Amino acid sequence: LAPGGAPGALKARVRGEAVAEGELEAIEDARARVRLDSVEAGHADFRVESVGPVVLTVSRGRVDVEPLVLRGPNTELALSGSRAASGELDLAATGALDLRLLAGLFPDLKRPHGRLALEAHVSGTVPEPVLVGAGRLEDAGFQLKASNVLLSDMRGELAFSQNRVLFERLTAAVNGGRAELRGEVELASFAPVRFRIESKLDEIPVAVPAWLPATLSGRAEANGTPESATVTGRLHVIRSRYTTNVELEKSLLEFRRRTQAAPRAYDKAGEWLRFDLQVVVDGDTRVENDLVSGDVRGELVLTGSLAAPGLVGTLSMAEGSRARFRGNEFALSHAVLEFTDRNRIEMALDVHGESRVHDYQIFLHAFGPLADPHVTLTSNPALSQPDIITLLSIGYTRHDAGAGQGVQGAAAAAAAQALFSASGLDEQVKRFLPRNNVLRDFNVRITSEYSDWTGQVEPRAEFESWLLRDRLRFRYQAPLGGARGHRAQAELRLGRRTAVQGQWDNDNPDVPTGDWGVDLKLRWEWTDE
């Protein structure tokens, strides 16, 4: 009886009797009375039924519906009205509906829930009904198709007709963050055909893609149809972490071959939602992996679609960022992450850093895709690339080895460092390290250093962390064997160019309590361009 058939999986059952009298030659003057003692309807696990009998009377073309109540879980709806002999409608509905009913009407919505309190009136005719109503959403929510965006705790007023639904200042939780929504939905045969939704977002957690979680605030607008929509706007990244490890040390030590991750399956269902969204990276956004660590700033544009998102733009790492290579820390003088693919999220880096190892100043340049970067090393005084890698790995050069000083200890240091890195033990240790706003970049690694006490290059365990919002750095080193060679350092930044460093060590056996020292560090930069 319903035009176009009933929505899929919608079921109904009635039981009762009907009585009619009149003449077939004047059927329009007939009289009838329908009494349904039981009326039930539902979709999936949602059910409503009438409270008491439902009575309809027909007299000379006029149809009257006596007041009735439909009741079910979270639902109680009162209906009444009539259709005049001329065809004019006069129907009214008041009460509340369980929004699980939307699952039968709009199959693209996943897990709809909540309650809609409404008052509605229908006039016009059956071919051209006129619907006017208002309602209030309470604890409503649903999940968008082919996405991990979950709306919940939706509350607010809305107005609707047979052509559109309007809402202002509708509040909601989006993935646990807060949002304020306003907009309209156009309807055809009471089904949505086009929408425009403006949103004000406050700390919304998202993961597009899944390996790059972020918390966003700002304004966004979705405009389009259920089959093709675009999201625009300007958002600020409040918090984000990129923690995927590069494993550069493992690949260079050649203890294991790097395996390429299987390509992610392409889901065409996500093509309906496209992005042209400005993303300002100005909050607590950091890269924290086994190669580089530090804050990043910049502006990006989120492009592509839900099925294949992309990023275009540039991020720069802030002053104080660090790179780690072979157990050595490099202060970064220049570090840029570039995004150039409109349908994929791929990062290319260009990093310049320097470190001092014994009497050598080592310069590092890492560039290329972040997942598989290239590294070049130079030094002052000049060393060959193999000598630089040897110096970084085990603390001595081939010239030192040829002099016969500490070769056995250097070999032990190299073996310990290589085994620690290649076995993955460093990653297992990091799982138990604290991650909070007090201890930043807490790391443990195996290094090597020449010991005046033993006269050899020895493997050493090193623990390091930043405190007080990257102003105070604490480092502790201990030899893997022997009681001498312990060292503790604390460095406090006083400004961009000044710092105070304190150190304690017990290398000198003539000082039972250990040696103490304090240094004032000054730093300037200049160019001759």
Side-chain angles (χ1 to χ4, degrees):
L1 297 178
L10 184 64
K11 298 179 180 180
R13 181 172 63 183
V14 300
R15 183 176 68 250
E17 62 179 15
V19 178
E21 62 178 79
E23 297 180 1
L24 293 177
E25 292 182 352
I27 193 69
E28 67 276 3
D29 295 329
R31 298 171 182 269
R33 186 174 188 272
V34 179
R35 177 188 171 95
L36 302 176
D37 295 315
S38 175
V39 176
E40 299 179 16
H43 177 272
D45 62 346
F46 175 74
R47 294 284 189 277
V48 294
E49 59 183 352
S50 61
V51 178
V54 176
V55 179
L56 294 85
T57 59
V58 180
S59 177
R60 299 182 181 276
R62 178 182 176 86
V63 179
D64 288 284
V65 180
E66 296 185 11
L68 65 96
V69 175
L70 295 176
R71 184 177 294 164
N74 211 29
T75 297
E76 185 166 326
L77 187 65
L79 303 171
S80 63
S82 64
R83 192 206 73 166
S86 61
E88 293 294 321
L89 297 174
D90 183 12
L91 301 173
T94 60
L97 284 175
D98 191 320
L99 294 181
R100 286 181 295 173
L101 180 62
L102 296 178
L105 301 177
F106 310 125
D108 288 334
L109 295 183
K110 298 171 61 177
R111 295 188 289 277
H113 61 276
R115 181 180 171 98
L116 172 63
L118 61 85
E119 293 185 5
H121 183 264
V122 180
S123 58
T125 63
V126 173
E128 296 182 355
V130 177
L131 171 66
V132 177
R136 178 173 179 80
L137 288 173
E138 299 175 357
D139 195 26
F142 57 87
Q143 185 172 352
L144 295 177
K145 64 178 182 179
S147 78
N148 57 3
V149 178
L150 176 64
L151 280 80
S152 61
D153 197 26
M154 295 177 63
R155 301 177 184 274
E157 309 289 338
L158 53 84
F160 54 86
S161 69
Q162 75 279 5
N163 296 323
R164 68 186 64 241
V165 178
L166 302 173
F167 49 92
E168 292 277 348
R169 300 192 66 178
L170 196 67
T171 62
V174 181
N175 291 353
R178 302 303 304 172
E180 186 176 295
L181 310 174
R182 63 188 299 267
E184 60 180 307
V185 180
E186 295 183 19
L187 305 176
S189 299
F190 297 99
V193 293
R194 177 170 289 278
F195 58 84
R196 179 187 58 81
I197 301 174
E198 300 176 6
S199 61
K200 181 179 179 181
L201 307 177
D202 183 19
E203 298 198 6
I204 305 298
V206 298
V208 181
W211 47 264
L212 190 58
T215 300
L216 307 176
S217 294
R219 297 183 178 272
E221 178 178 333
N223 199 328
T225 69
E227 291 75 33
S228 178
T230 301
V231 177
T232 59
R234 183 178 176 88
L235 299 177
H236 293 262
V237 179
I238 306 302
R239 286 179 298 276
S240 183
R241 292 290 184 273
Y242 179 81
T243 58
T244 303
N245 285 336
V246 178
E247 298 186 349
L248 181 62
E249 294 186 15
K250 296 183 179 67
S251 64
L252 292 179
L253 287 168
E254 299 182 347
F255 273 82
R256 63 170 82 161
R257 291 185 179 180
R258 182 176 304 166
T259 58
Q260 299 233 344
R264 182 173 63 92
Y266 183 78
D267 186 3
K268 293 189 66 175
E271 292 181 347
W272 73 280
L273 187 62
R274 303 196 65 83
F275 302 106
D276 186 10
L277 193 60
Q278 290 183 319
V279 180
V280 181
V281 183
D282 56 358
D284 182 15
T285 305
R286 295 177 61 82
V287 176
E288 292 181 353
N289 60 21
D290 60 341
L291 179 60
V292 293
S293 61
D295 296 334
V296 294
R297 297 288 185 271
E299 292 196 16
L300 304 171
V301 178
L302 178 63
T303 61
S305 67
L306 195 61
L311 280 174
V312 178
T314 301
L315 299 179
S316 299
M317 299 193 70
E319 182 182 355
S321 299
R322 295 287 189 268
R324 288 174 292 276
F325 181 73
R326 294 291 182 90
N328 298 271
E329 184 179 86
F330 289 78
L332 300 184
S333 58
H334 170 85
V336 173
L337 300 173
E338 188 173 6
F339 302 78
T340 58
D341 199 316
R342 299 187 65 85
N343 295 292
R344 287 188 299 178
I345 298 181
E346 289 191 349
M347 288 176 274
L349 78 163
D350 183 21
V351 172
H352 293 265
E354 61 181 83
S355 179
R356 175 166 291 277
V357 180
H358 301 313
D359 296 328
Y360 296 92
Q361 195 77 10
I362 308 300
F363 302 95
L364 175 145
H365 181 204
F367 57 96
L370 186 59
D372 187 18
H374 302 281
V375 175
T376 59
L377 298 165
T378 56
S379 68
N380 184 24
L383 291 172
S384 66
Q385 187 104 348
D387 266 347
I388 296 175
I389 294 178
T390 303
L391 178 65
L392 293 174
S393 301
I394 58 179
Y396 78 104
T397 67
R398 288 181 296 176
H399 174 75
D400 300 325
Q405 293 283 336
V407 176
Q408 180 178 356
Q417 183 177 348
L419 180 61
F420 187 74
S421 180
S423 66
L425 182 59
D426 52 345
E427 299 305 321
Q428 297 301 318
V429 171
K430 287 179 182 179
R431 293 175 55 192
F432 298 95
L433 298 180
R435 289 180 177 270
N436 50 51
N437 291 329
V438 178
L439 299 177
R440 304 285 291 272
D441 300 336
F442 199 126
N443 284 299
V444 58
R445 52 183 174 262
I446 298 296
T447 64
S448 55
E449 189 169 306
Y450 180 80
S451 171
D452 292 330
W453 174 253
T454 63
Q456 300 186 90
V457 176
E458 293 183 337
R460 304 168 64 87
E462 180 177 282
F463 303 86
E464 182 182 53
S465 177
W466 283 90
L467 300 90
L468 302 179
R469 296 186 175 271
D470 295 347
R471 292 188 57 204
L472 177 62
R473 181 174 65 172
F474 178 77
R475 177 186 295 173
Y476 176 74
Q477 292 181 339
L480 296 184
R484 295 290 176 180
H486 293 259
R487 180 182 303 164
Q489 291 179 336
E491 179 180 321
L492 177 64
R493 289 184 177 177
L494 303 178
R496 297 183 58 184
R497 297 184 176 88
T498 58
V500 175
Q501 177 178 291
Q503 177 174 306
W504 169 90
D505 65 60
N506 68 345
D507 283 337
N508 190 346
D510 297 329
V511 184
T513 59
D515 286 328
W516 294 84
V518 176
D519 292 324
L520 175 64
K521 302 175 68 174
L522 304 176
R523 178 172 178 265
W524 285 273
E525 293 184 7
W526 67 89
T527 63
D528 57 357
E529 296 180 359

